[in-house]
Amino acid sequence: MSKQLSTAVNFTSPTTKPVRLLSLICLCSLFLGSCSTINELRWKTEYGSSKVVTRERLVIPEEQVDYWTQVKPIVESRCVSCHACFDASCQLKMTSIEGIDRGASKDQVYQTSRLFAASPTRLHIDAQSTQQWRKKAFFPVLNEHKQTAEMNKTAGLVYRFLELKEQHPLPEGDFLPEQLTLGLYRGDVCPSASEFDQYAKANPLWGMPYALPALSAQEQSTLKRWLEQGAVYTPRQPLGDEYQGYIDQWEALLNQDSNKAQLSARYLYEHLFISHLYFPELSDTTYFNIIRSSTPPGVAPDIIASRRPYDDPKVSRVYYRLVPELETVVDKTHNPYAMGLERMQRFKELFFDATFNVSALPGYSLPDTANPFKTYDELPLKSRYSFLIDDSQSIIMQFIKGSVCRGQVAVNVVRDHFWVFFLEPDSHLLDTVATYIDGGYDELALANGTADGDTLVPLGEWRKYAKLEKQKRKYRDIFMSRYFADNPLNLDLVWDGDGTNANASLTVFRHNDSATVEQGLLGNTPQTAWFIDYTLLERIHSLLVAGYDVYGALGHQLISRLHMDFLRMEGETNIINFLPKASRNEVRRQWYRQASDDTIGYLSNTEFDRLIEPDISYTSDDPLQELMMMLKQRVIDTVPTHRDYRLLESPQVVKTLERLESFKGWATQLLPEMSVIKINGETDHYVTLLRNNAHINMSSLFSEGKRKIPAENTVTVLNGVIGSYPNAFWSIPEGHLDLFVDAMLAMNDEADYKRARDQYGIRRTNAQFWDYSDVLHNYLKNDNPTVYGLLDYNRLENR
């Protein structure tokens, strides 16, 4: 019923009259609401009122299925791939027992059309009990009526979904039927228990796991027995005393009374609040979160559930506490950050033991609290910047693995493949940046910094900050021209990682609606690169991590995306500045073909381009390519090699993969964005095949397809598996690898791709799908346990 109505109404049609549309929406809502109410009344009459059930037990009988050892492994390996993070279907997060008990919601977190901010529904943050979640309109997926085996089946949604799959397995064939809709924007259908019969009748193939093979008989039996028995569980095992010792040390450091210590801790919290912290001396896979609490160390933490980390905590004193991560780790949100004794010493050196004074603690009033250059003015600038680039991959990964990353519109602000370099922290230029910041506080403000999530006129806000950005660019042009009139502009400005730090250079890959950050310079030379200094790195973090509200309204999300255009152009301009004066405009025009003169203007520095020639010796007629090679050489000692497939043991495999990486041009469009290839041999290998889409420019939010230039597409082949959202799985005998590459290089149409998939692909419908998934995850866990997280299968194609 709801599906038919949503199909009939085109909510995006520019010709739809607002009044008529509003009337129809109200009518639909009333009609659907009445249907739901009738069902609920019937259920209440037949089964009694629903009541939250306490499922935790100190002990369970021996015959009871144990959640932790028997159920949780199945849920993690079969359910979490689609039920994790903000994009969990129906907000049913199965990454923890509390998430299962919380249940589901008909509201979507990623709702780009909402005009007003939504109430946050972050698991373990915005409510602490199932009863509280019921008040936030979450409905149960486990039986909350009379607790009998029969009712646990009848009124338990998880049970009903498993049973539906059992009764209606996937039809035979290579492809899913059309009624199994896929894609990021397919829309959730979220029936309550009383609505399930209608749902099942309309969608018999929509059992769980959705659009994937059914569970094995043993897995199905285990889950069903647990559900029939009431889905009870015992408490979590407590952490060992050794962990508490580390927690005590860190909380003592972060909660000192001096102004200097409090401001330092606040800065660290606002830059680590979405990271997974771990103590390497104890374990690389036991994670913690840093929270703001109203209670001091020694007392149970009481989380301050603000929308953003710099919002007013509404308490007289904030305490920074470390609490265990309670959810299953998934790759799309996993950002590990070591908090060992070495890190503690480094934080003391940069902040707590450094010589500086904080005269007064800043408050939490907007817009000042959203501007890190004002809030942290009295923290040493070099300390802040050194902290950020010490683990630049982790800091930039927050832009990708935070809530902003979901969806094509969110990440189409960056190109598909580019390299990143950083300003040398010991550079004299950094020492003078403080003067530049002092003169441009307002110009460094961010477009989403003052918004409370309900910005209804984003273009008005946008124009205001576009004007500030223009002022900042003019001010920066003057500053840079004066500085480099007296100081050399050469590659000594580029941080070399002190010869040891692999964070000195990064590669970013965009996979249409997601992205990946890797250490080092991967792939063939990309079209563009970024050079990041302190102010740019701080602004990107504030815009996309600290200041971004995933529950915000359309206006908030739009201006966040639009402002990132300026920051991307600043990073690219910083690279262009290293080029000879005569070649800069040519490179700008190449990177932004068909862009407006205004856009080109944002990439230009009038005085700097007229006056400053770099102190770099160029000898070729392609200075950009020459610069990229010199930058690569600058950081060569720190570039890691574990992603280089050329280091694989088999020379024949290497030779064949080199041929694959030569794939260019129009036919690459037939490839998915991200493919995982398992090469089966005496020793199995995994490689990732990425398609890099070329673009005329990145200067528009919409109509990206019109700006693609497939003739310039490239691919990248990497050792191992990168990315959170694979689009295709392949399993190829080593002896067939040449034949597979031949087929890829010879593709002309979809039929050619299909023939390769028929022979080597592991489709969603493949009977061996879950075996492949298990072997893949075991490989990832063994390859690097610290960065390991479960992959997401929502983007797997049906091809």
Side-chain angles (χ1 to χ4, degrees), residues 61-74:
E62 288 186 9
E63 65 273 13
Q64 171 76 47
V65 176
D66 179 61
Y67 170 78
W68 301 105
T69 60
Q70 295 174 273
V71 175
K72 185 171 180 281
I74 301 173

Side-chain angles (χ1 to χ4, degrees), residues 2 101 178 180 317 394 421 475 642 711 762 774:
S2 60
D101 217 13
E178 290 183 1
L180 282 165
R317 170 75 187 269
S394 178
F421 304 91
Y475 184 65
H642 66 284
I762 303 294
D774 290 340

Side-chain angles (χ1 to χ4, degrees), residues 649-663:
E649 295 177 0
S650 170
Q652 183 57 44
V653 168
V654 171
K655 184 177 179 180
T656 305
L657 293 177
E658 285 176 340
R659 288 203 301 123
L660 181 59
E661 195 164 42
S662 71
F663 193 10

Side-chain angles (χ1 to χ4, degrees), residues 693-743:
N693 296 309
H695 295 80
I696 294 173
N697 63 66
M698 300 301 293
S699 61
S700 175
L701 173 62
F702 304 109
S703 302
E704 181 185 4
K706 296 179 180 179
R707 291 179 284 114
K708 290 182 178 179
I709 38 178
E712 297 181 18
N713 284 2
T714 62
V715 302
T716 301
V717 179
L718 301 172
N719 182 38
V721 178
I722 75 161
S724 306
Y725 303 91
N727 304 124
F729 290 148
W730 302 84
S731 183
I732 305 169
E734 187 173 323
H736 287 214
L737 190 59
D738 265 314
L739 297 175
F740 168 75
V741 173
D742 288 342

Side-chain angles (χ1 to χ4, degrees), residues 298-341:
V299 180
D302 182 17
I303 190 169
I304 297 169
S306 58
R307 281 181 177 269
R308 294 171 296 192
Y310 55 67
D311 286 342
D312 188 348
K314 302 186 188 309
V315 294
S316 58
R317 170 75 187 269
V318 168
Y319 298 94
Y320 301 98
R321 309 291 300 277
L322 299 186
V323 296
E325 170 59 63
L326 300 180
E327 297 186 51
T328 297
V329 173
V330 294
D331 187 84
K332 61 186 174 181
T333 59
H334 184 40
N335 191 19
Y337 190 90
M339 293 283 276
L341 299 178

Side-chain angles (χ1 to χ4, degrees), residues 296-465:
V299 180
D302 182 17
I303 190 169
I304 297 169
S306 58
R307 281 181 177 269
R308 294 171 296 192
Y310 55 67
D311 286 342
D312 188 348
K314 302 186 188 309
V315 294
S316 58
R317 170 75 187 269
V318 168
Y319 298 94
Y320 301 98
R321 309 291 300 277
L322 299 186
V323 296
E325 170 59 63
L326 300 180
E327 297 186 51
T328 297
V329 173
V330 294
D331 187 84
K332 61 186 174 181
T333 59
H334 184 40
N335 191 19
Y337 190 90
M339 293 283 276
L341 299 178
E342 184 178 344
R343 178 82 67 189
M344 183 177 287
Q345 186 58 41
R346 178 62 167 163
F347 283 1
K348 289 179 179 179
E349 172 191 333
L350 294 176
F351 298 104
F352 298 95
D353 292 345
T355 303
F356 65 94
N357 181 59
V358 174
S359 58
L361 291 175
Y364 289 93
S365 299
L366 287 171
D368 288 357
T369 188
N371 188 329
F373 305 105
K374 286 188 175 181
T375 302
Y376 300 109
D377 177 61
E378 294 193 276
L379 290 185
L381 186 146
K382 184 177 178 180
S383 293
R384 286 177 267 164
Y385 181 55
S386 296
F387 158 74
L388 293 175
I389 65 170
D390 274 356
D391 288 270
S392 64
Q393 181 194 22
S394 178
I395 294 297
I396 290 185
M397 196 128 62
Q398 292 181 357
F399 315 159
I400 306 300
K401 296 198 172 185
S403 55
V404 73
C405 71
R406 195 266 205 188
Q408 185 265 348
V409 173
V411 294
N412 77 354
V413 72
V414 299
R415 295 182 185 267
D416 275 34
H417 177 210
F418 60 94
W419 290 345
V420 180
F421 304 91
F422 299 92
L423 175 67
E424 165 62 51
D426 288 328
S427 166
H428 178 256
L429 176 59
L430 184 67
D431 294 335
T432 63
V433 165
T435 304
Y436 163 68
I437 292 176
D438 287 342
Y441 272 135
D442 292 335
E443 287 76 13
L444 288 168
L446 296 164
N448 67 355
T450 58
D452 62 2
D454 283 341
T455 304
L456 297 178
V457 284
L459 295 182
E461 288 286 305
W462 168 244
R463 283 192 292 269
K464 179 175 70 174
Y465 282 94

